[in-house]
Amino acid sequence: VESEIGSVPERWKVTSILDFATRLSGGTPKTDVKEYWDGDIRWVSAKDVSSVHGSFVIDTERKVTKLGISNSSAKLLPANTTVVTARGNVGSYCMLAEEMAINQTNYGLKSSLPDCDYFVFFSLANLVEWLKRNSYGTIFDTITTKTFASSQVIFPPEALLYQFEENVSPIMEKAKTNLYKSRTLANLRDTLLPKLISGELRIPDAEKLVAEAL
């Protein structure tokens, strides 16, 4: 059927992404307070998002402490929150593999419907591409709350929405697991390779350590 954005499937509707996702914001603890930094909470910057564009972020360049979170506008966002850069390299997006905080150059989007986070992720991906294509020669240089509120995305019937999540979730969870395994292997490589070269460690012993880690 015809809609304000062109032809869409019957029984689908055109709506704002904020009709099924909650916008979340971030912040930065004071950088001159050392007690706020080098903790165990991953803090996602625009650079972190750009480096894993279209995938999961499993680690960050900088980390903050619980004290830093409690004394700033930063907050912990739940796993599977979609994050998009709003300034700088605008339009890069990723998904949080676990609970993390984000800075103020990013926005988070969390499904307001139960178990629909991957639909939000792919809806945001399509929205960003649409915004880039329709900038009419101007620079796509910022995303604001108004951008989300005035966005037009298509939303399927409920049965199809949950069927999508059921089919996509195992694939995305497998991708996430593989990223963690890849990081583990990289750490093992950096640890074991010097020992293998020096003769401190034998190949069978290294293979056993790798098998145990995975």
Side-chain angles (χ1 to χ4, degrees), residues 178-214:
N178 287 342
L179 286 172
Y180 279 110
K181 286 184 177 180
S182 178
R183 183 178 66 177
T184 299
L185 286 172
N187 290 337
L188 282 170
R189 175 201 62 204
D190 295 341
T191 302
L192 300 180
L193 190 57
K195 294 182 179 181
L196 285 168
I197 294 174
S198 67
E200 180 183 346
L201 188 67
R202 297 172 62 248
I203 290 178
D205 294 329
E207 291 176 340
K208 182 179 179 181
L209 289 171
V210 171
E212 289 174 351
L214 296 178

Side-chain angles (χ1 to χ4, degrees), residues 92-116:
S92 293
Y93 57 88
C94 68
M95 183 171 262
L96 303 185
E98 57 193 68
E99 190 178 62
M100 301 182 191
I102 63 175
N103 73 2
Q104 66 273 18
T105 63
N106 300 314
Y107 283 119
L109 289 172
K110 182 67 175 173
S111 176
S112 53
L113 303 172
D115 302 319
C116 290

Side-chain angles (χ1 to χ4, degrees), residues 50-64:
S50 298
S51 68
V52 296
H53 173 65
S55 183
F56 289 95
V57 56
I58 63 172
D59 206 355
T60 56
E61 187 175 19
R62 303 194 69 184
K63 298 178 178 64
V64 296

